[in-house]
Amino acid sequence: MRYLDVADELRTDIAAGLAGALPSEAELGEAHGVSRVTVRRALELLRSEGLITSRRGAGWFVAT
C-alpha cells in the first residue's frame, strides 16, 4: 500500500536525523506522488508509533 511506502521513507528520514517540523501534507504528497489522504494515513501511522506529533494549525513534528 502506498501509505506504508511513504511511512517507511519518513521513518528512514527520522532515523537519519531529521528533526523539527516536517514538510506540509501537500508538499509530502507532491514529493511522493500521492494524495494528501495517503500522506495523512502515513502520518497517522507514524503518530501511533510515537515517532511524530502534530499541533493543530502548526503541522507535524518529529517527536523528541
Side-chain angles (χ1 to χ4, degrees):
M1 296 189 168
R2 307 250 355 213
Y3 80 96
L4 295 174
D5 295 334
V6 174
D8 284 341
E9 289 183 37
L10 289 172
R11 245 187 240 103
T12 300
D13 292 344
I14 292 168
L18 176 68
L22 297 175
S24 70
E25 292 175 14
E27 291 170 334
L28 287 170
E30 189 173 315
H32 295 279
V34 298
S35 70
R36 284 185 65 191
V37 173
T38 300
V39 169
R40 175 63 67 125
R41 284 187 74 186
L43 294 171
E44 292 292 345
L45 175 62
L46 294 176
R47 179 169 42 192
S48 73
E49 295 173 0
L51 295 175
I52 62 175
T53 61
S54 65
R55 284 183 247 156
R56 180 176 225 144
W60 294 89
F61 300 85
V62 176
T64 55

